[in-house]
Amino acid sequence: MKDNIEYKENSGVQLITYADSLGNNLNDLKYVLDTHLKSVVKGVHILPFYPSSGDRGFAPLTHRKIDPAFGRVEDLSAISADYNLMADLIVNHVSKESKYFQDYLAKGDRSKYHNFFINARYFSRRWYKRPKSKLGRFFYFSIGQIVTIMRNLDFIFHEQGVNRLILKKIYRPRPGSPFVKFIRADGSKRYLWCTFSPEQIDLNIKSLAVRRKFRRDIRFLETLGVKYLRLDAVAYAGKQRSTNSFLIPRTYIFIKWLARHAHHHGMKVVPEVHFHYKTQISLAHLNGVDYVYDFALPFLMLNALFSGRGQYLKNWFKIRPQNSISNLDTHDGIGVVDVEDLLPPEEIQKTTDQVYRNGGNAATRASGSSSVNVDVYQINCTYYSALDKNDKAYLLARAIQLFLPGIPQIYYVGLFVGANDKKLLNKTKNGRDVNRHYYTLAEIEQEKEREVVKKLFKLCKLRNSNPVFRGKYKLDNTSENIIGITWRKNGKSLSLKADLETKSFEIRDELERTIFSV
């Protein structure tokens, strides 16, 4: 990241939450925002509020309705009227309970949604364009049928009709083949691509009907007042034989296509991608992309705080994209794959081990092979627990995050400085639920009175209100254990000096007055 870059807007703090995590529904969420968080956050990312069959909303039946359990369109519109609203467009898949897939199961190839999905035969075929001549079509279907039969009979070089070598190339967060067997109403079986689970059926982004669906989805989200469109799991959306089917060239083309339509409806586009840091840098410069996620920051911050040395963290600050959404915690876990080549392997291992020690048995079980919904690239633990519930270290991490350019996002559990929810983990056996506590309104009243929460709120208000964050940013030249960041505008300034060894920090203005210290 270049020094002395001037930023035209102060992108204030954005809350990340589920519709039913701060209270029971959208109406309760609006109450919490207005009563407790009015000057603490300027925006809110409400995780999928659509009717869904699983994965906490990420197995949507449709994008054009609000789950009645959460509320009505009017409830969501009331939030977007006062806060910058981000919503998810889940572009990779739909629920197996959706009308699209149920119609396909019932009617097979006669369904109007028959080309919505990716079967093994479609993925494996070499001919992608249907021949125009009758003779060409005869050979196209005849040879195709014979080849398909041979592939299905070959259990040595093929699996589910797909070349085993090609299957090994596919990059996904689950082991094994992505193809899952489904039985249609007429008894015929089809192997369909499911990146994440059999509950979530992947969509064929080459289908014009699927594209029309996305355009209608975007139009609906515009009516709700959505300002930021998060493209969930978009890196997995493009599939092509002989590739790893992860952020392949056709995926970049698809992102630009989505961005064009989103921009037409007044939305900024944010692709959600967990991968090597150079991928984020590349996406940050892609035509149509407005922001990218800084998923490297959480793990790098932990490494700096555990070691008391900031060389790896500061190196990232020098190259991270300027249009980043910074975060320390999300509804998923703490990413590990995102820091490959930013940290040496031994530092990654030491940091991982320390997170498990601090997070205790709950973090180990939540991220272990016995847990449901395991992502092999992430550690399931709240950020507060990952820091061994050390208030000073936690506030220092947040202060650094809030002094970075871009949009600072804070997950709702992190905003209320929550520890691992062992009770919920024991109940659901879902690893990610260790970081998905449900707060009642009474509990929120109690939690906001904790001293560490009050201090975090004060830091957020400073970021939201001070005009220097619309000025010039500079990473100061400091010793290994010190992080120094300064913002300046019109003769005013704010400087953060953070000591990674002592976990103390202070924020001073242009007159060297201490505005905040820990």
Side-chain angles (χ1 to χ4, degrees):
M1 185 195 306
K2 296 180 180 179
D3 292 345
N4 291 312
I5 298 295
E6 186 163 3
Y7 295 85
K8 295 181 180 179
E9 62 176 338
N10 173 10
S11 300
V13 177
Q14 187 178 79
L15 169 71
I16 320 171
T17 184
Y18 291 96
D20 60 346
S21 290
L22 296 175
N24 295 318
N25 49 45
L26 291 168
N27 189 50
D28 284 353
L29 175 58
K30 183 64 162 64
Y31 169 81
V32 172
L33 288 167
D34 290 347
T35 306
H36 305 301
L37 305 178
K38 187 67 176 178
S39 56
V40 177
V41 301
K42 293 182 70 175
V44 57
H45 173 193
I46 305 178
L47 293 159
F49 40 77
Y50 317 110
S52 171
S53 61
D55 196 14
R56 197 71 191 272
F58 284 94
L61 276 68
T62 176
H63 281 83
R64 296 194 288 278
K65 290 182 181 179
I66 296 175
D67 190 325
F70 300 148
R72 305 169 301 164
V73 166
E74 292 79 8
D75 298 321
L76 205 54
S77 297
I79 293 174
S80 68
D82 296 324
Y83 303 89
N84 293 324
L85 179 62
M86 178 185 283
D88 289 274
L89 184 65
I90 301 162
V91 298
N92 183 68
H93 54 262
V94 293
S95 167
K96 73 173 184 181
E97 302 298 329
S98 67
K99 67 176 184 180
Y100 314 108
F101 189 63
Q102 288 301 309
D103 191 83
Y104 170 76
L105 286 182
K107 300 177 183 177
D109 292 339
R110 294 180 293 105
S111 169
K112 62 181 179 179
Y113 306 117
H114 74 277
N115 65 349
F116 259 49
F117 312 105
I118 304 166
N119 62 51
R121 179 179 178 181
Y122 174 86
F123 176 72
S124 294
R125 73 183 184 186
R126 293 185 180 274
W127 292 357
Y128 291 96
K129 291 185 178 179
R130 178 184 173 122
K132 294 182 179 180
S133 68
K134 290 184 179 180
L135 184 62
R137 287 197 296 271
F138 171 77
F139 282 108
Y140 177 87
F141 288 110
S142 299
I143 296 176
Q145 290 284 5
I146 295 171
V147 170
T148 298
I149 292 171
M150 296 300 293
R151 286 181 179 139
N152 289 334
L153 291 176
D154 176 20
F155 299 108
I156 298 176
F157 299 106
H158 291 80
E159 181 181 348
Q160 300 155 342
V162 182
N163 183 287
R164 288 181 180 272
L165 293 177
I166 291 175
L167 284 175
K168 286 184 178 180
K169 291 182 180 180
I170 295 170
Y171 181 90
R172 59 191 291 263
R174 306 288 185 273
S177 169
F179 288 101
V180 176
K181 182 173 73 173
F182 292 94
I183 308 297
R184 303 192 297 194
D186 61 1
S188 62
K189 63 182 179 181
R190 289 292 184 274
Y191 289 95
L192 302 179
W193 192 304
C194 302
T195 295
F196 297 100
S197 77
E199 187 71 36
Q200 297 152 301
I201 318 299
D202 281 36
L203 292 166
N204 176 17
I205 63 170
K206 293 183 67 178
S207 164
L208 292 179
V210 169
R211 300 272 181 132
R212 287 193 293 269
K213 168 198 164 331
F214 287 138
R215 291 172 65 178
R216 290 191 291 269
D217 295 340
I218 291 172
R219 286 198 296 270
F220 174 74
L221 292 175
E222 181 190 21
T223 67
L224 300 178
V226 172
K227 295 293 188 293
Y228 296 88
L229 191 66
R230 178 182 184 267
L231 306 181
D232 177 71
V234 69
Y236 300 97
K239 282 84 172 176
Q240 185 175 346
R241 60 175 286 141
S242 300
T243 73
N244 66 359
S245 293
F246 183 89
L247 268 182
I248 58 178
R250 69 174 52 170
T251 310
Y252 283 96
I253 294 171
F254 179 55
I255 291 173
K256 289 191 284 187
W257 180 86
L258 285 168
R260 186 167 66 251
H261 290 284
H263 289 164
H264 179 73
H265 293 279
M267 301 177 199
K268 295 183 178 180
V269 172
V270 188
E272 182 262 339
V273 177
H274 279 280
F275 202 54
H276 194 275
Y277 76 92
K278 289 184 178 178
T279 301
Q280 301 293 4
I281 294 175
S282 173
L283 282 170
H285 295 94
L286 186 68
N287 185 31
V289 169
D290 297 288
Y291 289 94
V292 294
Y293 281 101
D294 185 354
F295 286 133
L297 180 65
F299 203 89
L300 288 171
M301 186 80 76
L302 290 172
N303 173 264
L305 291 169
F306 292 159
S307 67
R309 304 187 312 274
Q311 70 268 38
Y312 301 115
L313 183 61
K314 286 191 279 189
N315 179 64
W316 174 236
F317 290 167
K318 293 174 183 177
I319 63 175
R320 86 191 269 272
Q322 300 165 20
N323 54 333
S324 286
I325 293 180
S326 65
N327 65 87
L328 296 180
D329 44 6
T330 69
H331 60 288
D332 293 329
I334 299 169
V336 179
V337 68
D338 309 275
V339 296
E340 182 183 350
D341 295 331
L342 289 173
L343 279 176
E346 61 272 17
E347 290 294 327
I348 294 176
Q349 190 58 56
K350 284 195 296 186
T351 305
T352 300
D353 292 343
Q354 188 64 52
V355 171
Y356 282 132
R357 284 194 293 271
N358 291 348
N361 187 46
T364 304
R365 288 189 296 113
S367 305
S369 59
S370 61
S371 173
V372 177
N373 200 25
V374 170
D375 190 321
V376 296
Y377 310 127
Q378 295 169 332
I379 302 172
N380 291 314
C381 184
T382 73
Y383 214 72
Y384 188 51
S385 289
L387 288 170
D388 202 22
K389 295 183 278 191
N390 183 318
D391 289 357
K392 286 184 67 176
Y394 187 79
L395 288 171
L396 184 149
R398 289 298 181 190
I400 295 174
Q401 179 197 6
L402 291 168
F403 260 70
L404 293 176
I407 298 177
Q409 275 192 342
I410 301 182
Y411 186 52
Y412 75 99
V413 176
L415 190 62
F416 287 97
V417 196
N420 285 338
D421 192 334
K422 302 174 185 178
K423 185 180 294 186
L424 184 61
L425 174 64
N426 290 333
K427 178 182 178 181
T428 66
K429 311 301 181 186
N430 185 326
R432 291 177 174 174
D433 282 347
V434 78
N435 188 30
R436 295 178 177 179
H437 181 70
Y438 291 87
Y439 286 90
T440 64
L441 295 180
E443 192 176 4
I444 291 169
E445 291 277 359
Q446 180 179 345
E447 291 298 300
K448 75 181 181 65
E449 297 303 320
R450 292 166 57 203
E451 195 61 30
V452 64
V453 176
K454 287 182 177 180
K455 290 179 178 179
L456 177 55
F457 282 14
K458 185 177 179 180
L459 283 170
C460 292
K461 291 175 182 178
L462 179 65
R463 172 61 192 249
N464 290 338
S465 62
N466 200 297
V468 300
F469 293 108
R470 291 192 297 270
K472 291 184 178 181
Y473 159 93
K474 185 177 185 297
L475 177 65
D476 300 328
N477 186 19
T478 58
S479 59
E480 190 178 60
N481 65 305
I482 301 295
I483 300 287
I485 298 174
T486 301
W487 286 85
R488 292 185 175 88
K489 183 176 177 65
N490 296 335
K492 305 291 185 180
S493 71
L494 282 180
S495 296
L496 168 70
K497 183 179 180 181
D499 191 322
L500 297 169
E501 289 183 344
T502 64
K503 311 300 184 281
S504 60
F505 68 91
E506 65 177 354
I507 299 171
R508 292 186 174 186
D509 66 9
E510 69 281 356
L511 299 177
E512 291 297 316
R513 295 175 300 192
T514 299
I515 305 300
F516 192 101
S517 66
V518 170

